[in-house]
Amino acid sequence: MAERKNNETSRDTVPDAVVSRLSLYLRELQHLIANDCETTSSTQLGRLLGFTDAQVRKDLAYFGQFGYPGIGYRCSELVGAIRKILGTDRSWPIGIIGVGNLGRALLGYRGFDQQGFEIAAAFDTVDDKVGQEFEGIRVYHISDLEKIVEKMSIKLGIIAVPGPAAQDVANLLVDAGVEGVLNFAPVTISLPDSVQLVGVDLAIQLEQLSFAVVNRATNS
Amino acid sequence: MAERKNNETSRDTVPDAVVSRLSLYLRELQHLIANDCETTSSTQLGRLLGFTDAQVRKDLAYFGQFGYPGIGYRCSELVGAIRKILGTDRSWPIGIIGVGNLGRALLGYRGFDQQGFEIAAAFDTVDDKVGQEFEGIRVYHISDLEKIVEKMSIKLGIIAVPGPAAQDVANLLVDAGVEGVLNFAPVTISLPDSVQLVGVDLAIQLEQLSFAVVNRATNS
DNA sequence: TAGATTGTTAATCGATTAACAATC
DNA sequence: TAGATTGTTAATCGATTAACAATC
């Protein structure tokens, strides 16, 4: 069907920045749909998010042709296309390691389900927590990680343990066979290339904000 | 002291990517210090974080000269310099709006204090929560926001409310006089240019991971 | 001194924007 | 049809890397 050099597996590498904008497009499109918009345009999407229209079109062009010249994009169609690109057109069972404050907050976070993520199990080492349920999610002992990961087909792991334990937990997740890790611990961890890693450090986000405030006269 | 075109306020705009790497350098330096390293080098820092040595030196060069040719960087000195650049050499009183799962997790998050952030007050609209304390932090009614922000010199606000309420809360924060907002709600909010905004969407982080996993054969 | 490492300039690489023919 | 908007190419802009004189 599609011409060009296309060959499915030999697609050019996509910059991270493009992928994260894709998520933003998806979020805006879902809002537009909630507000009964049937179609949108690169200009509208760009205006909503502070990007140029050219950038919106270019980003989408990495993955194919989704629009209609003279018309724009059908919102629901583009949502479907982006979810397919991101891999969220199916459900991802997730395991969370660490049932402290942050872990429990993530267990209760409603935003995940809506985007195709489903927290299947939690893990901890503290006896008082193991066997309990939080937000309807059962807490297992970390020593059962491999067994449960397999049984529940868990593909992604979220690390929500203190920094010093993070690398050990990461290793256990890799051994258990997960394919991707989201790390909330404030440390750099290293994984084999075959396992994907995304890190989120909440303190770093505040540092970015602090910098922006201190330098606001200069940079905005 | 410093020559060059330098004039303090006319510094070239610093790319966001540079600022976020600065936070990573800071984190690694703190680990090095914890492990009794007195000095480090651009090569070592780069290796720890997966950057080139040239990038480390170039990033720091935006802000001044912090190293010693032939020797490298004194860790504690560079930590001090980066904290000053990021504005975390002083304490930032923070207000958190929304005391649901995520808000409470942030209230209890130990990583903030260590980096110069201090959660001073929490706000909600739910009667059962107002007046309570979580993790030693008092919850006020949102209608007291302006008063408390002034009294406690709160400069940064964290939005941890559901999406539909986020823009309203943002407006209240701006009216109350905060200078920066960290938004955890999964919506795009808009603020006057005079108020800085950083957004963190947890579902988006998982989408990035999902994309990376689905495309791992191609891009890693 | 010789070896190491910085700060900085120039070269390379990649990402964003502008422009426009093709299309509805 | 005229107006709108796409997908895509070429031009611009910015960020990363390589190289090296200066320095300890």
Side-chain angles (χ1 to χ4, degrees):
Chain A
M1 8 207 79
E3 272 84 357
R4 296 194 292 280
K5 58 192 154 188
N6 150 337
N7 164 325
E8 197 62 9
T9 51
S10 71
R11 178 160 80 206
D12 286 352
T13 293
V14 180
D16 283 351
V18 171
V19 184
S20 75
R21 285 195 297 267
L22 229 45
S23 284
L24 294 173
Y25 301 151
L26 177 60
R27 211 172 68 174
E28 289 305 330
L29 286 162
Q30 288 168 332
H31 286 152
L32 287 169
I33 290 173
N35 292 326
D36 296 320
C37 293
E38 300 228 322
T39 65
T40 185
S41 65
S42 54
T43 309
Q44 182 179 36
L45 275 176
R47 186 165 24 78
L48 289 168
L49 289 162
F51 307 142
T52 64
D53 59 323
Q55 178 146 74
V56 175
R57 294 197 300 278
K58 195 87 205 299
D59 286 344
L60 295 172
Y62 273 95
F63 305 98
Q65 305 182 152
F66 308 104
Y68 303 89
I71 296 183
Y73 303 90
R74 300 203 211 289
C75 295
S76 61
E77 213 174 283
L78 190 51
V79 162
I82 294 179
R83 295 187 68 135
K84 197 166 167 204
I85 293 164
L86 293 174
T88 57
D89 55 337
R90 53 185 169 121
S91 180
W92 291 86
I94 295 181
I96 294 194
I97 324 304
V99 191
N101 276 304
L102 182 60
R104 287 201 303 273
L106 296 171
L107 287 176
Y109 188 61
R110 310 300 291 145
F112 291 150
D113 326 11
Q114 291 162 30
Q115 299 300 336
F117 302 102
E118 175 213 342
I119 297 172
F123 300 87
D124 210 304
T125 53
V126 176
D127 284 342
D128 287 355
K129 292 176 179 169
V130 173
Q132 275 201 64
E133 286 196 358
F134 293 100
E135 311 284 337
I137 317 270
R138 174 87 180 275
V139 181
Y140 298 89
H141 194 274
I142 187 75
S143 58
D144 290 330
L145 184 65
E146 190 158 357
K147 191 176 69 188
I148 303 290
V149 161
E150 183 165 7
K151 190 160 99 180
M152 296 189 163
S153 305
I154 288 173
K155 295 284 183 300
L156 305 180
I158 297 182
I159 297 180
V161 300
Q167 180 67 60
D168 291 342
V169 166
N171 295 341
L172 291 173
L173 282 166
V174 171
D175 292 344
V178 305
E179 297 178 36
V181 170
L182 180 58
N183 175 38
F184 281 96
V187 292
T188 305
I189 62 182
S190 61
L191 258 49
D193 283 354
S194 58
V195 180
Q196 301 301 315
L197 174 66
V198 170
V200 182
D201 185 326
L202 301 178
I204 285 183
Q205 306 301 319
L206 275 178
E207 286 171 358
Q208 305 303 299
L209 187 60
S210 161
F211 177 86
V213 167
V214 169
N215 295 275
R216 76 177 171 296
T218 333
N219 71 332
S220 80
Chain B
M1 9 210 79
E3 271 84 357
R4 296 195 293 279
K5 58 191 154 187
N6 149 335
N7 166 324
E8 197 62 9
T9 51
S10 71
R11 180 160 77 205
D12 286 351
T13 292
V14 180
D16 284 351
V18 172
V19 183
S20 74
R21 285 194 297 266
L22 229 44
S23 284
L24 295 173
Y25 300 151
L26 177 59
R27 213 172 68 176
E28 290 304 331
L29 286 163
Q30 289 168 331
H31 285 153
L32 287 169
I33 290 173
N35 292 326
D36 297 319
C37 294
E38 299 228 322
T39 65
T40 185
S41 65
S42 54
T43 309
Q44 181 179 36
L45 276 176
R47 186 166 22 80
L48 288 167
L49 289 161
F51 308 142
T52 64
D53 59 323
Q55 179 148 72
V56 175
R57 294 196 300 278
K58 195 86 205 301
D59 285 344
L60 295 173
Y62 272 97
F63 305 100
Q65 306 181 151
F66 307 105
Y68 303 89
I71 296 182
Y73 304 90
R74 300 202 211 291
C75 295
S76 62
E77 214 175 282
L78 189 52
V79 163
I82 294 178
R83 295 187 68 134
K84 197 166 166 202
I85 293 163
L86 293 174
T88 57
D89 55 338
R90 52 185 171 120
S91 180
W92 290 87
I94 295 181
I96 293 194
I97 325 303
V99 190
N101 277 304
L102 182 61
R104 286 201 303 275
L106 296 171
L107 288 175
Y109 188 60
R110 312 298 293 145
F112 290 150
D113 325 13
Q114 290 161 31
Q115 300 299 337
F117 302 102
E118 174 211 343
I119 297 171
F123 301 87
D124 209 305
T125 52
V126 176
D127 284 342
D128 288 353
K129 291 175 180 168
V130 173
Q132 275 201 64
E133 286 195 0
F134 293 99
E135 311 284 336
I137 316 263
R138 175 86 181 275
V139 180
Y140 298 89
H141 193 275
I142 185 79
S143 59
D144 290 330
L145 184 65
E146 189 157 358
K147 193 175 68 190
I148 302 290
V149 162
E150 184 165 7
K151 191 160 98 182
M152 296 189 163
S153 305
I154 288 173
K155 295 283 184 299
L156 305 180
I158 296 182
I159 299 180
V161 300
Q167 181 66 58
D168 291 342
V169 166
N171 296 342
L172 292 173
L173 283 167
V174 171
D175 292 346
V178 306
E179 297 178 36
V181 170
L182 180 59
N183 176 37
F184 281 94
V187 293
T188 305
I189 62 182
S190 60
L191 257 48
D193 283 352
S194 58
V195 180
Q196 300 301 315
L197 173 66
V198 169
V200 182
D201 185 325
L202 301 178
I204 286 183
Q205 306 301 320
L206 275 178
E207 286 170 359
Q208 304 305 298
L209 187 60
S210 161
F211 176 87
V213 168
V214 169
N215 294 275
R216 78 177 169 297
T218 332
N219 71 332
S220 83

